[in-house]
């Protein structure tokens, strides 16, 4: 029986072994492991990739979002509009800043925040909107930016799953006031440990994020504010520089897999497939289907050697961490979280893997 893991993290290393080993050796030979040439080079290269002026490497994706909020002076008593359907890190960033997350239901076809629901949630305490480019598909940014402009709100992209995705031809990370990226190993652009970055065209935000991420210091042992320790180290920056050169090629492989899925699975009545608007160029960090038969289908696919995951089984407002939201009803999000199932998709898969998954799904009995 063929085995298809949900994600193979070893194979990309083997594909780039020579380049990655050289990057490792270069850093080790330098004797410099924090705030050095590799980080400066990666920040410049990733800024260029995202078509923005500034990139600041930080410890992880959650820190990236949190530091953006702090840099915008958003905090105690403020409200930030967030998607109800997302990984909890989006909400946690708001809470860490001392602000209050205000959840908005998603468009059920794209799973991203529904711009038509945002305006009704705005109050005098609202300071920002934080759309998530969920599963690697861009949120519908134009109406979000228009609403933000009318109400003088900041817009922050949670681009943790959307490295290289495009909205109306423009890359995520440069569509708003600032964006937060994660380089968690499983991401399209993943490090070999934790890592993150902030991208922006705003020099004030860039300077504040850099200040806050380094103990509130721009000059060693001089601390202007009470900052944090959140820095992308030299090894991870060096590895990311290598992987960045291959990102577009790897994203193209993901798109090819997703296209095969979308073409083949259309006739499977027990699956609801993701929809891609004409203005969207997703990078398919995840390929998420929905089915009321999720538990049975997941067990069946496992018996066929196909590993699947659930992103995410419990929405943020139903987590114990947000028990103060226990009386909030978000039926669209709750329905989605009960039905979603993520199928394998990665740049190391091929058409034979897709065919195997297709044959397995064809054999599933309702």
């Amino acid at each position: 029986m063929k085995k298809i893991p949900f994600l193979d993290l070893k194979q990309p290393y083997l594909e780039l072994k020579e380049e990655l080993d050289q990057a490792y050796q270069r850093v080790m030979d330098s004797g410099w492991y924090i705030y050095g040439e590799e980080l400066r080079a990666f920040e410049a290269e990733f800024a260029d990739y995202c078509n923005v002026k500034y990139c600041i490497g930080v410890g992880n994706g959650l820190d990236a979002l949190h530091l953006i909020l702090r840099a915008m002076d958003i905090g105690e008593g403020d409200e930030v509009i967030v998607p109800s359907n997302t990984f909890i890190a989006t909400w946690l960033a708001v809470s860490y800043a001392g602000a209050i997350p205000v959840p908005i239901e998603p468009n059920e076809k794209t799973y991203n925040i529904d711009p038509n629901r945002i305006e009704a949630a705005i109050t005098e305490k609202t300071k920002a909107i934080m759309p998530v480019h969920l599963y690697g598909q861009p949120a519908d940014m134009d109406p979000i930016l228009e609403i933000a402009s009318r109400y003088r709100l900041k817009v922050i992209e949670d681009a943790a799953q959307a490295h290289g995705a495009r909205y109306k031809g423009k890359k995520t990370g440069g569509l708003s006031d600032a964006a937060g990226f994660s380089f968690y190993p499983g991401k399209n652009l993943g490090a070999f440990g934790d890592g993150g970055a902030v991208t922006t065209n705003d020099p004030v935000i860039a300077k504040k994020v850099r200040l806050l991420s380094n103990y509130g210091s721009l000059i060693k042992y001089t601390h202007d504010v009470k900052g944090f320790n959140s820095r992308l180290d030299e090894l991870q920056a060096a590895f990311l520089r290598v992987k960045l050169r291959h990102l577009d090629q790897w994203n193209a492989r993901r798109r090819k897999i997703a296209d095969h899925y979308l073409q083949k699975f259309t006739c499977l009545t027990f699956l609801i497939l993701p929809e891609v608007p004409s203005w969207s160029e997703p990078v398919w960090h995840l390929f998420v289907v929905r089915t009321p038969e999720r538990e049975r289908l997941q067990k069946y696919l496992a018996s066929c050697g196909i590993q699947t995951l659930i992103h995410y089984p419990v929405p943020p407002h139903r987590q114990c961490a947000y028990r103060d939201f226990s009386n909030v009803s978000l039926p669209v999000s709750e329905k989605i979280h009960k039905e979603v199932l993520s199928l394998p998709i990665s740049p190391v898969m091929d058409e034979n893997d897709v065919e195997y998954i297709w044959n397995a799904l064809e054999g599933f009995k309702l």
Side-chain angles (χ1 to χ4, degrees), residues 147-163:
I147 293 169
S149 177
R150 279 194 285 118
Y151 287 90
R152 297 183 180 179
L153 306 176
K154 296 292 187 181
V155 178
I156 304 158
E157 296 165 75
D158 182 338
Q161 302 181 4
H163 314 72

Side-chain angles (χ1 to χ4, degrees), residues 260-298:
H260 283 311
Y261 280 165
L262 291 170
Q263 291 167 15
K264 284 181 171 292
F265 298 170
T266 304
C267 61
L268 299 175
T269 57
F270 56 87
L271 291 185
I272 299 172
L273 300 178
E275 292 192 17
V276 181
S278 60
W279 41 256
S280 174
E281 295 177 52
V283 290
W284 298 105
H285 171 61
L286 299 172
F287 190 92
V288 179
V289 297
R290 283 170 51 205
T291 176
E293 299 289 333
R294 180 174 72 185
E295 184 176 347
R296 200 160 65 84
L297 177 60
Q298 187 173 39

Side-chain angles (χ1 to χ4, degrees), residues 152-207:
R152 297 183 180 179
L153 306 176
K154 296 292 187 181
V155 178
I156 304 158
E157 296 165 75
D158 182 338
Q161 302 181 4
H163 314 72
R166 293 177 184 268
Y167 173 77
K168 297 185 178 180
K170 297 179 180 179
K171 281 184 182 170
T172 56
L175 303 172
S176 62
D177 293 291
F181 284 90
S182 167
F183 302 128
Y184 181 78
K187 304 298 186 185
N188 292 39
L189 181 61
F192 291 88
D194 264 324
V198 171
T199 58
T200 183
N201 284 308
D202 188 325
V204 175
I205 291 175
K207 184 176 180 179

Side-chain angles (χ1 to χ4, degrees), residues 86-332:
T86 185
F87 181 54
I88 199 170
T90 314
W91 288 41
L92 288 174
V94 177
S95 298
Y96 285 175
I100 301 165
V102 177
I104 300 296
E105 290 275 59
N107 177 314
E108 201 168 346
K109 294 180 179 180
T110 66
Y111 308 124
N112 279 323
I113 192 169
D114 186 347
N116 295 318
R117 299 173 182 261
I118 291 176
E119 194 164 7
I122 295 173
T123 72
E124 61 182 13
K125 296 181 180 180
T126 307
K127 295 295 186 293
I129 306 171
M130 189 182 287
V132 178
H133 304 309
L134 196 65
Y135 311 146
Q137 171 146 267
D140 192 0
M141 294 299 294
D142 279 355
I144 294 172
L145 293 167
E146 190 277 327
I147 293 169
S149 177
R150 279 194 285 118
Y151 287 90
R152 297 183 180 179
L153 306 176
K154 296 292 187 181
V155 178
I156 304 158
E157 296 165 75
D158 182 338
Q161 302 181 4
H163 314 72
R166 293 177 184 268
Y167 173 77
K168 297 185 178 180
K170 297 179 180 179
K171 281 184 182 170
T172 56
L175 303 172
S176 62
D177 293 291
F181 284 90
S182 167
F183 302 128
Y184 181 78
K187 304 298 186 185
N188 292 39
L189 181 61
F192 291 88
D194 264 324
V198 171
T199 58
T200 183
N201 284 308
D202 188 325
V204 175
I205 291 175
K207 184 176 180 179
K208 284 186 177 180
V209 168
R210 193 172 297 282
L211 176 74
L212 288 164
S213 69
N214 187 40
Y215 299 102
S217 172
L218 293 176
I219 301 172
K220 195 169 185 178
Y221 300 134
T222 300
H223 304 273
D224 300 320
V225 297
K226 295 173 183 175
F228 305 86
N229 176 18
S230 181
R231 301 175 295 195
L232 182 64
D233 68 61
E234 287 289 282
L235 268 176
Q236 300 304 339
F239 293 146
L240 288 166
R241 291 183 68 198
V242 173
K243 284 190 163 187
L244 182 59
R245 296 197 290 268
H246 299 268
L247 178 58
D248 285 343
Q249 178 189 354
W250 283 357
N251 282 343
R253 292 185 198 171
R254 288 176 179 270
R255 288 191 183 99
K256 190 172 183 180
I257 300 287
D259 287 344
H260 283 311
Y261 280 165
L262 291 170
Q263 291 167 15
K264 284 181 171 292
F265 298 170
T266 304
C267 61
L268 299 175
T269 57
F270 56 87
L271 291 185
I272 299 172
L273 300 178
E275 292 192 17
V276 181
S278 60
W279 41 256
S280 174
E281 295 177 52
V283 290
W284 298 105
H285 171 61
L286 299 172
F287 190 92
V288 179
V289 297
R290 283 170 51 205
T291 176
E293 299 289 333
R294 180 174 72 185
E295 184 176 347
R296 200 160 65 84
L297 177 60
Q298 187 173 39
K299 287 180 179 178
Y300 166 76
L301 289 174
S303 73
C304 298
I306 301 166
Q307 184 186 22
T308 60
L309 295 179
I310 298 171
H311 297 88
Y312 305 95
V314 182
H317 73 287
R318 288 288 178 254
Q319 299 282 357
C320 289
Y322 285 97
R323 60 178 61 87
D324 48 328
F325 282 79
S326 60
N327 293 325
V328 175
S329 177
L330 297 166
V332 179

